[in-house]
C-alpha cells in the first residue's frame, strides 16, 4: 500500500519528463542553479542544494515527492527524492 508520503515510480518519472521538457530553457535562464520540480511543475531555482530543499519546505512540499536537479553539471547531478 502506498501512502501520501511515499513517492511512486510514475511520480518520479513524470517529474523527470517535466524537467526534460523545460531543460534547455532552464539551463539558459538559470545556469548552474539547482531546480526543483513537484507534481510535474517547475517550482523554483536555487543557488545551492540546501537552498533548494529549504525552498521546497517553505512551499510545504514533501521532499520525497520532489525532483532536485543541478543544471549544467558535468557529470549530471540528479537527486530524485530529497530526503
Amino acid at each position: 500500500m502506498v501512502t501520501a508520503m511515499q513517492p511512486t515510480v510514475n511520480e518520479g518519472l513524470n517529474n523527470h519528463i517535466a524537467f526534460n521538457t523545460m531543460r534547455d530553457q532552464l539551463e539558459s535562464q538559470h545556469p548552474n542553479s539547482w531546480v526543483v520540480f513537484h507534481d510535474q511543475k517547475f517550482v523554483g531555482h536555487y543557488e545551492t542544494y540546501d537552498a533548494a530543499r529549504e525552498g521546497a519546505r517553505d512551499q510545504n512540499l514533501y521532499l520525497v515527492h520532489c525532483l532536485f536537479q543541478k543544471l549544467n553539471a558535468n557529470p549530471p547531478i540528479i537527486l530524485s527524492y530529497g530526503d
Side-chain angles (χ1 to χ4, degrees), residues 2-15 64-65 81:
V2 175
T3 67
M5 290 295 292
Q6 294 174 316
T8 65
V9 173
N10 284 342
E11 182 178 28
L13 178 61
N14 289 339
N15 280 332
V64 297
H65 294 265
Y81 301 109

Side-chain angles (χ1 to χ4, degrees), residues 15 18-19 22-23 25-27 29-61 63 65-71 79:
N15 280 332
F19 165 75
M22 295 184 66
R23 182 182 199 136
Q25 175 188 357
L26 292 170
E27 286 182 341
Q29 291 178 348
H30 311 291
N32 303 307
S33 294
W34 280 91
V35 293
V36 180
F37 277 76
H38 182 269
D39 285 340
Q40 303 175 52
K41 296 180 186 100
F42 170 64
V43 295
H45 66 93
Y46 304 88
E47 189 173 320
T48 65
Y49 172 69
D50 289 335
R53 285 171 44 109
E54 192 62 34
R57 280 192 188 112
D58 289 347
Q59 295 181 58
N60 296 315
L61 304 177
L63 299 185
H65 294 265
C66 293
L67 166 71
F68 297 85
Q69 182 150 346
K70 174 82 171 166
L71 297 175
L79 302 172

